[in-house]
Amino acid sequence: MDFAFGAEDEAFRAAAREWLEGHPWGEGGRAWERELGAGGWIGLGWEAEGYGNRRATLTQQVVWAEEYARVGAPGRVGHIGEKLLAPTLLAYGDEAQKNRFLPAIARGEELWCQGYSEPGAGSDLAGLRTRAERDGNVYRVSGQKIWTSLARDADWCFVLARTEAGSRRHHGLSFLLVPMDQPGRIEVRPIRQMTGTSEFNEVFFDGAEASDVVGREGDGWRVAMGLLAVERGVSTLVQQIGFEAELGRVLRLAVDSGVVADPVLKDALVRQWAELRVMRWNALRTLSSPDAGAPSVAKLLWGRWHQRLGELAMRVRGAAGATGLGEWAPGAYELDDLQHMFLFSRADTIYGGSDEIQRNIIAERVLGLPKGSS
């Protein structure tokens, strides 16, 4: 099962390939986002144009993702604004919010982070305690968010907060847009992980001001669920292309080192390849005929698959997998790509909604089982 690429799609592929090969990206980051924006390559999947983005069909979005991965372009730092906030604003935002925020995202000029998870309410989003009190024309936000990706570099954060005093669970929540440059009112603390890096952060709000609420006050749960619904589709295929590149490195290492002669290891590598193909076919199927449980099924599949790949990489490396690239010192060590993948992938079944939460969603919303039955 695969997409059929027509003449227009192949012309789009040629244009994308020419542009990517002609624009060196260095280390990525903000400069690369602005370069993408200048080329009109941000916002391909938006349901509207006119904000500095170009439109692209679903097939063409897949083409762009394939070409982006093929040349080894860097990981995006603007994807939260482009892939999560922008579709949410198009669905729930007013015209002033669309005109203010979408062009800046499309130009690659403003970066966003997501203020959802909290201590004690990570996967249980409805249990959040961050509050926002109206003060004239603004809301003052107080509370703590955790596991906030890219918070150190973000210009803005979309925050789900409780705006109705005494409300419980999914009632009384609002979806607020909070500028991050508020010294004394917002503090970002990096969380150092076992990889030695700090992709995740804690964010503390102490009366931080927010003047924009998406949708109506108290309608935050509906908006938040709408945002979570777009965390699928082409982005899943992009992720799988990256997985394919990682698997390729592991396979080449196994062949070059000769350990592929081990029949047990060979069987595990072949199974890993076959499962990746099945995930791709399933992603393509759900793009053309989406269903309510597709995002949760995809998350369950790729989370454990990626963890197994990291484990396989270390099996292929053998004892060398336990040694770093340079001199080790407490609090400072360097990992190669496969070691980093192995350690970071331990979080794959937790972030973005833990496996337990995904099973609950499938049980309750797809199979119609009573709560707690999964």
Side-chain angles (χ1 to χ4, degrees), residues 3 58 229-230 232-234 282-295 366:
F3 277 170
L58 191 58
V230 303
R232 60 187 179 104
V234 174
N282 183 61
L284 292 172
R285 176 187 64 82
T286 57
L287 282 178
S288 58
S289 55
D291 58 75
V366 180

Side-chain angles (χ1 to χ4, degrees), residues 14-91:
R17 180 171 296 184
E18 180 181 6
W19 190 91
L20 284 166
E21 292 178 346
H23 288 76
W25 46 79
E27 296 182 358
R30 281 182 178 270
W32 176 236
E33 291 297 320
R34 289 193 294 269
E35 195 73 26
L36 287 169
W41 297 105
I42 297 177
L44 298 179
W46 295 356
E47 295 179 356
E49 55 188 337
Y51 299 103
N53 63 307
R54 72 172 80 186
R55 290 296 304 277
T57 66
L58 191 58
T59 305
Q60 289 168 348
Q61 293 171 51
V62 173
V63 166
W64 169 254
E66 290 178 341
E67 292 303 313
Y68 195 90
R70 182 188 65 83
V71 299
R76 297 284 307 282
V77 295
H79 61 284
I80 295 176
E82 179 191 7
K83 303 296 186 183
L84 298 183
L85 179 68
T88 304
L89 287 179
L90 288 167

Side-chain angles (χ1 to χ4, degrees), residues 133-165:
E133 300 177 355
R134 183 183 285 276
D135 182 9
N137 294 325
V138 301
Y139 293 88
R140 297 201 176 276
V141 183
S142 297
Q144 179 187 356
K145 298 294 181 176
I146 199 167
W147 311 123
T148 309
S149 301
L150 304 176
R152 287 185 298 170
D153 302 314
D155 304 294
W156 289 80
C157 182
F158 51 89
V159 176
L160 194 61
R162 200 165 293 283
T163 49
E164 180 183 332

Side-chain angles (χ1 to χ4, degrees), residues 88-105:
T88 304
L89 287 179
L90 288 167
Y92 303 101
D94 58 35
E95 288 305 312
Q97 291 167 345
K98 295 175 188 177
N99 291 328
R100 163 60 184 86
F101 295 109
L102 294 180
I105 295 172

Side-chain angles (χ1 to χ4, degrees), residues 36-283:
L36 287 169
W41 297 105
I42 297 177
L44 298 179
W46 295 356
E47 295 179 356
E49 55 188 337
Y51 299 103
N53 63 307
R54 72 172 80 186
R55 290 296 304 277
T57 66
L58 191 58
T59 305
Q60 289 168 348
Q61 293 171 51
V62 173
V63 166
W64 169 254
E66 290 178 341
E67 292 303 313
Y68 195 90
R70 182 188 65 83
V71 299
R76 297 284 307 282
V77 295
H79 61 284
I80 295 176
E82 179 191 7
K83 303 296 186 183
L84 298 183
L85 179 68
T88 304
L89 287 179
L90 288 167
Y92 303 101
D94 58 35
E95 288 305 312
Q97 291 167 345
K98 295 175 188 177
N99 291 328
R100 163 60 184 86
F101 295 109
L102 294 180
I105 295 172
R107 292 192 300 266
E109 293 177 354
E110 290 183 345
L111 304 182
W112 288 79
C113 59
Q114 179 180 20
Y116 273 21
S117 295
E118 297 185 7
S123 295
D124 181 20
L125 185 57
L128 65 85
R129 292 176 291 180
T130 295
R131 66 185 187 279
E133 300 177 355
R134 183 183 285 276
D135 182 9
N137 294 325
V138 301
Y139 293 88
R140 297 201 176 276
V141 183
S142 297
Q144 179 187 356
K145 298 294 181 176
I146 199 167
W147 311 123
T148 309
S149 301
L150 304 176
R152 287 185 298 170
D153 302 314
D155 304 294
W156 289 80
C157 182
F158 51 89
V159 176
L160 194 61
R162 200 165 293 283
T163 49
E164 180 183 332
S167 61
R168 293 176 55 81
R169 303 301 296 166
H170 58 276
H171 301 288
L173 302 175
S174 296
F175 190 100
L176 304 172
L177 307 182
V178 182
M180 292 293 286
D181 187 14
Q182 299 190 51
R185 294 176 176 173
I186 297 180
E187 180 186 359
V188 178
R189 298 180 189 172
I191 300 173
R192 193 168 186 274
Q193 297 135 218
M194 60 183 174
T195 56
T197 56
S198 301
E199 289 88 350
F200 301 126
N201 305 267
E202 294 178 281
V203 183
F204 296 85
F205 300 94
D206 185 10
E209 292 186 356
S211 57
D212 283 281
V213 56
V214 179
R216 300 185 307 274
E217 181 179 309
D219 199 28
W221 186 256
R222 183 174 69 95
V223 178
M225 292 301 99
L227 182 144
L228 291 175
V230 303
E231 287 191 277
R232 60 187 179 104
V234 174
S235 60
T236 302
L237 288 169
V238 177
Q239 183 184 53
Q240 291 171 5
I241 294 169
F243 288 167
E244 186 172 6
E246 291 176 336
L247 176 59
R249 288 200 294 273
V250 176
L251 289 171
R252 286 191 296 273
L253 181 61
V255 172
D256 293 344
S257 64
V259 299
V260 73
D262 180 343
V264 176
L265 185 58
K266 181 188 293 186
D267 179 74
L269 291 168
V270 171
R271 182 179 296 274
Q272 201 75 4
W273 176 87
E275 289 177 354
L276 182 59
R277 300 304 300 170
V278 171
M279 284 196 293
R280 174 175 171 80
W281 294 332
N282 183 61

